[in-house]
């Protein structure tokens, strides 16, 4: 069999391209060496945002595209994407109020808004917004972006791709590929270590931080474009304040740090921008980054935190397109393509940069670039399409949650919220026949039942406890060691069957 597209990388970009291409009638195979969203796409700040800060770097194209994507994504996946209010405490010594107001005016008007509210000036003194902050923070600004479950977005794209005919293979690594006539012949190592050859008419290198490694070492190609790896880390603490809003904190180095309500009981704080010169791979927060994030909180919040308050941290490598900027924090967050196809050769398209927010649009651009090689390919279609589980109905998330809670009254309110928020209408697939918790099978902890686990295994490519606890859910924040071991045992014994 010869595939039309071989996509290397199961992050947000690879999965968005697989989804779009499969829907246009192309034969797609996606390879992911570990798990979907195993690398950068599960390590983001989890925002679908225009990027207010990028306006200072004159990134108008990117901000315009990203702002427009917010509305589309919110409509496509209202179970995993929700509007989020940000409070930006005014810091006179860092940015004058007039500059912030101009930025917010542009942010409100650069792209049309339908569901997402605009910005306003707010008083912090004597209001719930100011209550957790030190007394010198009296004035602030309010604006909206969206929060997203980043790794679940990737899984939903893969699921949609697969339901439209794409083959998604996790634990499958591209070892190398060569051109033979008008095709690529790729050598792929499967989860069992065995090698097989796969043929495709075009190859997409969506390997994120590994983009240059894939280009040079696995495809044997050069490129004038380069990736710039910039590490970013987050810490998670127990909830630092009451309220559903997030804070955007300005730092003296002109960067910003977000404090965001996370998983009901926690606050997510990040991120950092640290140049990374090593080989791409797993990364972890270092002491300086930890201190930087703690200082950002301590400067603004009444409640001071220290390392003992951190319950989890995670880090990722931004695979930025190297535009030659001096500072890591101002390297463009926009994306760029490198197409290698001269002389009628089988094309290879490499992706540099991009954001969770812009992956759908990036996929459209990638397929526009490859259109000359696939004259029968159908037109773009993802702009108005719903992602799996996102068909919540006109009442949106709250109405759907109400419906689910009424239909399944045995679900604890917190569990109903988690299931509705993770799976949307797909939750019916494993809840449909249940009349009690017992019908859902053994509970591994926090309401993660056998029925849900079977669904994750069968439909969402989950293979081990880490996939389940940290990427399909964030139950890792709540599971203890014994629960994790029991879950791992259940997954291993199922795999051995
Ligand atoms: C700290 C931080 C905060 C961020 N915050 C935001 C945010 O709030 N909002 C936003 O929109 N964006 C954000 N981003 C940007 C966004 O996360 C990334 O741009 C995006 O996730 C990159 O996706 P990707 O698919 O290109 O790469 P990845 O997600 O890294 O995917 C690449 C995949 O390729 C696989 N792979 C590599 N080599 C091979 C091979 N040989 N064979 C098979 N598979 C292979 C890897 O295992 C990996 O899973 C943030 C990034 C960081 C680091």
């Amino acid at each position: 069999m010869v595939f039309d597209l071989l996509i290397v990388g199961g992050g947000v970009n690879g999965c968005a391209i697989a989804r779009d291409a499969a829907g246009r009638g192309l034969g797609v195979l996606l390879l992911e060496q570990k798990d979907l969203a195993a690398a950068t796409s599960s390590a983001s700040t989890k925002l679908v945002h225009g990027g207010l800060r990028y306006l200072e770097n004159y990134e108008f194209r990117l901000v315009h595209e990203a702002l427009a994507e917010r509305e589309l994504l919110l409509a496509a996946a209202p179970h995993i994407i929700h509007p989020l209010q940000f409070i930006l405490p005014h810091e006179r010594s860092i940015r004058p109020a007039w500059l912030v107001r101009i930025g917010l005016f542009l942010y409100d008007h650069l792209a049309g808004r339908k569901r997402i509210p605009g910005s306003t000036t707010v008083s912090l003194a004597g209001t719930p917004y100011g209550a957790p902050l030190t007394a010198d923070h009296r004035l602030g600004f309010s604006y909206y972006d969206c929060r997203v479950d980043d790794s679940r977005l990737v899984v939903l794209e893969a699921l949609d791709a697969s339901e439209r005919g794409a083959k998604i293979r996790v634990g499958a690594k591209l070892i190398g590929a060569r051109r033979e006539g008008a095709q690529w012949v790729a050598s792929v190592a499967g989860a069992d270590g065995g090698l097989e050859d796969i043929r495709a008419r075009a190859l997409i290198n969506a390997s994120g931080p590994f983009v240059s490694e894939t280009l040079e070492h696995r495809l044997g190609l050069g490129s004038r474009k380069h990736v710039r790896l910039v590490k970013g880390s987050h810490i998670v603490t127990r909830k630092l304040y009451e309220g559903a809003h997030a804070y955007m904190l300005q730092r003296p180095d002109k960067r910003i740090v977000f404090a965001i309500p996370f998983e009901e009981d926690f606050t997510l704080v990040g991120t950092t921008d640290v140049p990374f010169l090593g080989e791409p791979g797993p990364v972890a927060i270092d002491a300086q980054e930890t201190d930087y994030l703690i200082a950002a909180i301590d400067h603004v919040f009444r409640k001071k935190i220290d390392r003992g308050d951190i319950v989890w941290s995670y880090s990722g490598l931004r695979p930025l397109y190297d535009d030659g900027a001096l500072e890591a924090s101002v390297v463009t967050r926009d994306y760029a393509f490198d197409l290698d196809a001269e002389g009628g050769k089988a094309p290879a398209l490499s992706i540099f940069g991009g954001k969770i927010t812009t992956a759908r649009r990036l996929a459209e651009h990638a397929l526009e670039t490859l259109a000359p090689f696939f004259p029968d390919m159908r037109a773009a279609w993802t702009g108005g399409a719903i992602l799996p589980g996102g068909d919540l109905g006109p009442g949106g998330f709250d109405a759907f949650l109400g419906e689910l809670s009424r239909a399944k009254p045995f679900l604890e309110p917190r569990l109903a919220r988690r299931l509705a928020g993770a799976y949307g209408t797909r939750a019916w697939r494993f809840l449909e026949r249940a009349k009690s918790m017992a019908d859902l099978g053994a509970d591994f902890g926090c309401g993660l039942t056998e029925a849900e686990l079977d669904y994750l295994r069968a439909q969402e490519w989950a293979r081990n406890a880490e996939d389940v606890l940290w990427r399909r859910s964030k139950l890792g924040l709540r599971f203890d060691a014994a629960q994790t071991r029991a879950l791992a045992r259940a997954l291993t014994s199922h795999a051995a069957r």
Side-chain angles (χ1 to χ4, degrees):
M1 163 164 200
V2 181
F3 291 94
D4 291 318
L5 280 192
L6 175 65
I7 300 174
V8 185
V12 74
N13 287 329
C15 291
I17 296 170
R19 173 189 184 224
D20 193 342
R24 295 186 195 218
L26 298 189
V28 176
L29 172 66
L30 180 140
L31 302 175
E32 167 50 51
Q33 61 184 353
K34 291 186 171 166
D35 180 32
L36 298 171
T40 313
S41 296
S42 56
S44 82
T45 309
K46 307 183 195 310
L47 299 179
V48 163
H49 65 157
L52 181 58
R53 186 178 70 83
Y54 309 148
L55 288 174
E56 270 184 345
N57 305 337
Y58 308 111
E59 298 229 42
F60 296 114
R61 194 212 78 82
L62 171 65
V63 177
H64 178 269
E65 181 170 303
L67 284 172
E69 285 301 297
R70 288 189 316 188
E71 292 279 351
L72 288 184
L73 287 172
L74 186 57
H79 50 324
I80 60 159
I81 300 178
H82 302 269
L84 177 62
Q85 182 186 23
F86 286 82
I87 300 299
L88 168 59
H90 178 44
E91 300 278 358
R92 192 179 318 156
S93 62
I94 301 178
R95 279 177 193 86
W98 63 262
L99 184 64
V100 177
R101 283 197 186 98
I102 290 178
L104 289 171
F105 177 83
L106 284 172
Y107 209 64
D108 282 344
H109 293 95
L110 263 176
R113 280 181 294 109
K114 282 190 225 122
R115 302 175 185 216
I116 297 169
S119 66
T120 51
T121 302
V122 290
S123 168
L124 301 183
T127 70
Y129 300 134
L133 308 183
T134 54
D136 47 333
H137 292 98
R138 306 181 67 77
L139 175 73
F141 307 90
S142 159
Y143 74 96
Y144 282 77
D145 268 318
C146 296
R147 67 185 161 84
V148 60
D149 187 329
D150 51 4
S151 48
R152 288 208 57 76
L153 177 64
V154 176
V155 169
L156 297 188
E157 280 166 350
L159 187 55
D160 204 14
S162 143
E163 290 175 356
R164 293 171 194 275
K167 299 237 171 325
I168 308 290
R169 283 186 56 187
V170 294
K173 177 172 181 165
L174 177 84
I175 302 296
R178 62 181 194 284
R179 286 180 167 119
E180 247 183 49
Q183 292 178 4
W184 281 99
V185 182
S187 172
V188 177
D192 58 2
L195 284 183
E196 70 179 295
D197 276 356
I198 286 171
R199 290 179 173 270
R201 294 186 180 86
L203 188 147
I204 295 195
N205 171 11
S207 50
F210 303 84
V211 59
S212 293
E213 180 195 290
T214 302
L215 251 172
E216 288 157 28
H217 302 305
R218 304 199 185 280
L219 308 182
L221 301 177
S223 171
R224 270 164 305 177
K225 297 202 167 76
H226 298 284
V227 69
R228 180 128 161 221
L229 299 181
V230 176
K231 185 169 98 163
S233 299
H234 294 80
I235 56 174
V236 173
T237 65
R238 292 249 150 226
K239 200 192 253 194
L240 291 177
Y241 59 90
E242 291 305 319
H245 56 281
Y247 289 96
M248 186 196 211
L249 311 175
Q250 306 184 62
R251 303 301 299 141
D253 60 3
K254 292 269 181 185
R255 292 190 66 262
I256 47 106
V257 168
F258 293 108
I260 303 171
F262 189 55
E263 298 290 318
E264 301 212 5
D265 302 318
F266 302 91
T267 303
L268 174 65
V269 181
T271 177
T272 55
D273 273 292
V274 182
F276 182 85
L277 300 173
E279 292 298 314
V283 283
I285 193 167
D286 63 33
Q288 257 182 318
E289 291 176 280
T290 308
D291 291 344
Y292 180 88
L293 295 176
I294 289 175
I297 293 297
D298 286 356
H299 173 72
V300 177
F301 283 80
R302 286 178 204 273
K303 179 176 156 51
K304 308 300 174 203
I305 60 167
D306 60 31
R307 289 175 182 211
D309 294 304
I310 298 173
V311 297
W312 185 47
S313 69
Y314 63 86
S315 304
L317 293 175
R318 299 178 182 84
L320 303 181
Y321 166 55
D322 191 355
D323 61 356
L326 293 179
E327 289 286 321
S329 63
V330 300
V331 180
T332 182
R333 265 49 174 173
D334 212 342
Y335 50 81
F337 296 151
D338 182 275
L339 178 67
D340 185 303
E342 284 105 68
K345 289 186 292 191
L349 182 73
S350 294
I351 288 152
F352 293 81
K355 307 222 14 113
I356 299 282
T357 310
T358 51
R360 189 206 65 82
R361 191 72 185 105
L362 177 150
E364 282 183 344
H365 281 148
L367 292 172
E368 272 163 34
T369 309
L370 288 179
F373 304 92
F374 298 103
D376 297 332
M377 180 168 74
R378 293 200 287 268
W381 62 277
T382 55
I386 304 287
L387 280 157
D391 49 342
L392 301 183
F397 184 77
D398 290 343
F400 173 71
L401 177 58
E403 189 192 333
L404 184 74
S405 307
R406 278 191 299 280
K408 305 288 167 190
F410 55 87
L411 296 174
E412 291 279 321
R414 185 184 270 258
L415 178 58
R417 233 176 4 258
R418 180 175 76 74
L419 298 180
Y423 305 105
T425 56
R426 293 287 165 120
W428 295 123
R429 298 203 174 186
F430 57 89
L431 292 176
E432 190 87 75
R433 290 204 214 115
K435 295 196 171 58
S436 68
M437 279 307 285
D439 292 341
L440 297 172
D443 184 343
F444 294 96
C446 309
L448 174 67
T449 59
E450 270 177 291
E452 184 180 356
L453 197 59
D454 285 346
Y455 176 83
L456 288 174
R457 229 175 352 219
Q459 302 291 317
E460 294 197 355
W461 299 274
R463 293 173 302 159
N464 56 44
E466 194 185 313
D467 300 349
V468 172
L469 295 179
W470 293 109
R471 285 183 288 272
R472 304 306 180 275
S473 76
K474 287 292 176 286
L475 289 173
L477 286 167
R478 302 175 197 278
F479 263 47
D480 63 26
Q483 289 171 318
T484 305
R485 277 197 301 275
L487 175 66
R489 270 198 306 276
L491 285 157
T492 317
S493 70
H494 185 276
R497 262 184 250 158

